[in-house]
Every structure is written in C-alpha cells, then in structure tokens.
Amino acid sequence: MDISFKFSHTLSFLQMMAMLGATESAATVSFNYSDALAKSILFYEGQRSGKLPPDQRMTWRGDSALNDGNVSHVDLSGGYYDAGDNVKYQFPMAFTITLLSWSVIEYERELVSAGQMQYAQQAIKWGTDYFLKAITGPTQIWVQVGDPNTDHNCWERPEDMDTSRITYQINSNSPGTEVAAETAAALAAASIVFANTDPIYAEKLLDTAMTVFDFADGYRGTFTGACPFYCSASGYNDELLWGAAWLLKASNDTAYLQYVVNNRGLSSEMNEFSWDNKNAGAQILLSKMYFSGQTELQSYSRQAASFVCHVLPNNPWSQVSYTPGGLLYVRDGANTQYVTGSSFLIAIFADYLTSAGDLLSCGDTSFTPRELQSHSKGQVDYILGNNPENMSYMAGFGTRYPNQVHHRSASIPSIHTSPTQVVCGEGFVSWFPSSNPNPNVLTGAIVGGPNRNDVFDDSRRDSSCTEPTTYINSGMVGLLAKLSSQRN
C-alpha cells in the first residue's frame, strides 16, 4: 500500500500541532452516539415532501406539495427538500440516498443493535419510492420540482407554498448524465439494503437502476436546470464510475466490472468528496473488491489510499486545510458536508484495511486503521460539541446547539398551531429577520458549521453557517452507527 506523491505540505506548524492534539484526545472524548444516531435519522422526517404517514415523528411538519407534477400530468409528490428551501432536486437527493444506503450496508449490525434499522430503511424508501415515480420511461426522468429563483425569493413553509412548481425532465434529447447516473447508484445501493427484507422491491430497484444507467451512459449531457444551485463542476464521468461501481456491487454482473476497468482512466486522485464529486467514493467502494481479490481494480485502490492521505493531517501529502480547532475545512457554505462525507469514507477504508491486515502509507508516514478511525471520530466529536465554541452543530443534540437554523419550515410556527397561511413575502418580514429562536426544532439537522477560524454565527441570515442539508447528515449516519456500538 506504499504510495508516492509529489505534492507539497500545506499545513502550518500550529495547525499540525492542533491536529496532533485532536487525534491524541479523540479516544478520550465521548458523546451519546446512540442518541445522535437516532436524531440524525429523525432529521429526514423534517425534510419530507408529500403526504406524511401516520407514524410521522416530526409532528410539527404537515402535508406539502401534494400536487407536484400535475402540471406535467405525472405524480411527483413525495421525496425530500434538499435543505432549508422548498425545491426538490434529484441530484443531491439521489446522492443522499446512496450514502444512507451505504451506511446501512456497512453498519447493518450496528443499526439493528441501536434500534434504528427500521427508521434508516424508511428514510431510504421515502427517496426510492419517489425516484421510481419520477422515472417515467427508459429515457425519461423527472429530476426537479420547483423554480430555484422564485423559491429563494420567498420565505414560507412548504405547507403554504404558492410559488411555481415547474417540473424539469431529462430525456434522450435533453440528457442529464450526472443526475441519471447518481439515480442509478442510489437505486442499486438501496436494492442491497432491501434484498433480505423485501426482495421483490429490491429486484425492482436493481432492474430500474440498470435501465437508468444505460440511459445515463448512452445519452450523455449535463443537466443545467438546477444552476446556479447544483451545477456539477466535476462533470459526469465520476457519476458514471460511481453508478457502475454500485451496480457491480449490487448485481455481481461482470459487465459492470469490465466497465470500471475499461474506464479507469476517467478516475483521478481527489482530496474531497461531495454531492458533486464522487470519484473518491467510487475508489473506496472498489477498493474493497480489490482487497477481496479483484486485482484488476488496483488503480482504484491506490487512488482511494491517496484520497485518505490527502485528507489526513500530519503527513507530507496532506492537501487540505483544518481550522485551528481541528475541523476539516474545504470551503464556505455547508462545509460540514465535506467533513461528514470524507470522515465516512476514511472510516470505511479503515475497516477494509483491518480486514486486509494492512496499513496506510503516505510516503514515509504510516497510519494504522485505528488511527484512521480516531481521525474520523475526532471530526464527529467536533460536530457534536468538542470544539472551541463548545456547542453541538446538530440541532436538538446536547445542551447548546443552533437556535436559528436557516430553514423555512422550522423558523415559522407549525401549520398545526398557526394554520393561517404565511405568504411569500410575509416570511421575510415576520420570521426570517427575527432574532428569536426557531419555534420548531429541526431535530438531528447538522448545520453548515463554523467558519475557517472556528467562529459560528447562529443566525438564520447566515446560511453558510446555519443551513442544514440532507447530504450533510447522510455521511454522519454511518459514522454514528459505528461509534454507537463501541465502548468509550
């Protein structure tokens, strides 16, 4: 596993010392990870769109967007709102479901032990049920509901929406390879989740995933209808590899193995993992197959190791920055998505190394699997409260957490207690600028987090700090499941 790189060291001496201290102390810090796990999954009930089920636990939410798709004569009710707004974007929604499914696949035993498997499966199925409705033909997928511009000009509960619910589709004439391939990945990963408990549903998911992947690969092009909010800067090659990797894992069809082998030149070394760039995720996923004997996947395994080296501090090939308090910092705006996603991948890679009896070598610096796990735990602990602000960045967890989460529904009194409609502009007058805590706690929501200096502005005006997203939580679920099973 020895790897050679030609990248310069990017951490200052002080940051290295902070990271060293954070790593050494990670094992001594402990939180109620089972409680955090339960809340991280509960959060998804606060993001639901459509007709809510009788067992809805986030009871301040109500039915919303029941007529989505009517304008296009298709039922597009259901699914998830991506963040604090009221648009349904399939690209990040599908990525969320893929990571949630991966969490269940890797840590099924831990989720069962914590009593959270049922809720995790429900969270996944809320997304996959929607995807199945949105796929209306072998080369047609409805990939967005709502106009981002008009929606972002309003501050209103989803239960009150009076903005345009315009629908967007991709098809053979107007393809969207990134969205289609990510949808295929989500369906394939979810098929593994339901293989034992609902094999008929699992087979439907896998069959549909194969069809959708053929569409993604056969009709290539970029979907731009979500821009500037979800433009894919990385292109669609990463999604094609990611989708093929998940189809390989779900089906064991050698055609997908041949696909990733033939297209390995499309994969490159990375230092981040996100809803936009899936390269590192595909590399980590395929590395397990390499460790299991698929030697033709060695290049992916080497790239997976390079990703971990680039993200870890205290080695000469680190390419990323950390705050003085020890939090991975990639860029402003939902920075915690990079923290949870990268830490999840590193934790999984550590498990793979343990099974293989191997170490990670970053040049002349080596890391044991235990040290990799300690790093991921330290990032989780920072989010849960072990940070310079001494506050949890998960709403509803701990004694001090964000009170002004940038979230329309949470910031306006519940439709059940205040049924009078709050129209578009009224929310910006009465609720958005308020300095009062949100009337509803979006329990389990992980917000964007502090800035690069560990400073957090608990104001719903500052979306970069206080807005939650479904994909921030998706990486955290697996991490918390793993930690909940360990004695501290």
Side-chain angles (χ1 to χ4, degrees):
M1 257 345 245
D2 186 58
I3 299 172
S4 296
F5 300 119
K6 297 180 181 179
F7 300 109
S8 62
H9 184 45
T10 59
L11 292 179
S12 70
F13 176 78
L14 289 178
Q15 286 176 311
M16 286 185 68
M17 292 302 99
M19 288 293 89
L20 181 61
T23 300
E24 289 178 340
S25 64
T28 65
V29 175
S30 180
F31 291 94
N32 188 337
Y33 299 114
S34 295
D35 182 46
L37 171 63
K39 289 174 177 175
S40 71
I41 299 172
L42 176 61
F43 158 71
Y44 288 99
E45 296 191 19
Q47 296 301 113
R48 284 173 170 172
S49 179
K51 179 71 175 177
L52 301 182
D55 60 355
Q56 169 81 9
R57 295 176 296 161
M58 198 80 82
T59 55
W60 51 266
R61 280 296 320 283
D63 299 340
S64 63
L66 299 180
N67 296 319
D68 275 1
N70 283 7
V71 66
S72 301
H73 309 290
V74 60
D75 178 12
L76 296 178
S77 61
Y80 289 108
Y81 303 114
D82 74 300
D85 54 11
N86 299 326
V87 182
K88 294 191 299 199
Y89 303 95
Q90 186 142 324
F91 193 28
M93 193 192 308
F95 175 65
T96 295
I97 298 304
T98 307
L99 277 200
L100 282 177
S101 297
W102 200 357
S103 295
V104 171
I105 294 165
E106 294 291 341
Y107 302 115
E108 177 181 4
R109 178 178 57 82
E110 291 84 352
L111 284 161
V112 170
S113 178
Q116 294 302 311
M117 176 58 80
Q118 172 190 353
Y119 299 118
Q121 288 183 320
Q122 288 175 352
I124 293 165
K125 194 171 187 293
W126 194 267
T128 53
D129 282 352
Y130 175 77
F131 298 153
L132 292 175
K133 291 196 298 184
I135 300 165
T136 51
T139 60
Q140 184 182 64
I141 308 175
W142 299 88
V143 296
Q144 185 174 319
V145 182
D147 173 44
N149 295 303
T150 58
D151 181 85
H152 284 75
N153 287 329
C154 289
W155 193 266
E156 58 186 354
R157 299 173 296 203
E159 294 87 351
D160 289 333
M161 275 191 291
D162 53 9
T163 54
S164 168
R165 300 302 286 173
I166 187 174
T167 56
Y168 298 78
Q169 67 166 268
I170 56 175
N171 52 52
S172 57
N173 294 319
S174 300
T177 302
E178 295 97 336
V179 188
E182 183 59 67
T183 301
L187 294 172
S191 75
I192 304 172
V193 171
F194 294 103
N196 293 326
T197 58
D198 193 343
I200 295 176
Y201 186 66
E203 183 178 3
K204 183 177 183 180
L205 293 177
L206 183 55
D207 288 346
T208 306
M210 292 177 174
T211 300
V212 171
F213 184 80
D214 287 343
F215 169 44
D217 191 39
Y219 298 88
R220 298 191 182 188
T222 295
F223 172 67
T224 59
C227 291
F229 301 100
Y230 286 105
C231 302
S232 180
S234 67
Y236 51 68
N237 288 332
D238 55 314
E239 277 81 23
L240 287 171
L241 291 174
W242 175 242
W246 275 111
L247 280 163
L248 172 59
K249 184 172 180 63
S251 69
N252 290 317
D253 188 329
T254 56
Y256 298 110
L257 174 61
Q258 199 60 49
Y259 187 96
V260 296
V261 170
N262 290 346
N263 290 282
R264 56 193 166 196
L266 301 179
S267 180
S268 57
E269 293 179 0
M270 299 303 306
N271 60 13
E272 71 174 66
F273 175 60
S274 68
W275 61 263
D276 178 19
N277 197 316
K278 323 295 167 45
N279 274 299
Q283 293 157 8
I284 296 287
L285 181 62
L286 293 170
S287 70
K288 183 175 185 179
M289 302 178 198
Y290 167 72
F291 288 137
S292 299
Q294 296 285 359
T295 57
E296 59 266 64
L297 298 176
Q298 182 180 26
S299 64
Y300 288 104
S301 181
R302 289 178 63 85
Q303 289 173 336
S306 75
F307 166 76
V308 178
C309 289
H310 293 334
V311 174
L312 286 176
N314 305 329
N315 81 84
W317 288 277
S318 177
Q319 289 187 339
V320 298
S321 298
Y322 284 81
T323 68
L327 182 71
L328 171 67
Y329 203 90
V330 176
R331 61 180 59 89
D332 295 338
N335 177 67
T336 47
Q337 71 165 304
Y338 308 106
V339 179
T340 60
S342 296
S343 299
F344 177 60
L345 293 188
I346 291 172
I348 291 174
F349 193 68
D351 291 337
Y352 298 168
L353 287 176
T354 298
S355 298
D358 211 342
L359 300 176
L360 172 69
S361 295
C362 305
D364 59 359
T365 303
S366 294
F367 295 93
T368 65
R370 184 181 182 88
E371 287 172 321
L372 301 189
Q373 299 288 9
S374 181
H375 171 79
S376 290
K377 179 180 181 298
Q379 296 298 294
V380 171
D381 290 343
Y382 184 108
I383 291 174
L384 295 183
N386 185 29
N387 55 63
E389 293 277 356
N390 292 313
M391 73 179 297
S392 164
Y393 293 116
M394 176 187 285
F397 180 82
T399 58
R400 183 169 177 251
Y401 51 80
N403 287 313
Q404 292 196 36
V405 175
H406 180 95
H407 191 272
R408 288 157 175 77
S409 190
S411 69
I412 302 173
S414 169
I415 191 75
H416 303 302
T417 58
S418 299
T420 302
Q421 183 180 14
V422 177
V423 296
C424 173
E426 183 182 350
F428 277 122
V429 174
S430 302
W431 304 107
F432 178 74
S434 171
S435 59
N436 294 326
N438 286 350
N440 309 302
V441 178
L442 188 62
T443 302
I446 301 172
V447 297
N451 65 20
R452 64 183 64 252
N453 297 312
D454 298 302
V455 176
F456 180 74
D457 181 17
D458 188 9
S459 168
R460 69 182 65 86
R461 292 174 177 269
D462 189 347
S463 61
S464 66
C465 285
T466 61
E467 187 169 20
T469 72
T470 56
Y471 41 90
I472 292 175
N473 273 56
S474 62
M476 191 72 155
V477 169
L479 289 165
L480 290 170
K482 181 178 180 64
L483 289 170
S484 71
S485 70
Q486 298 176 354
R487 292 185 178 183
N488 300 290

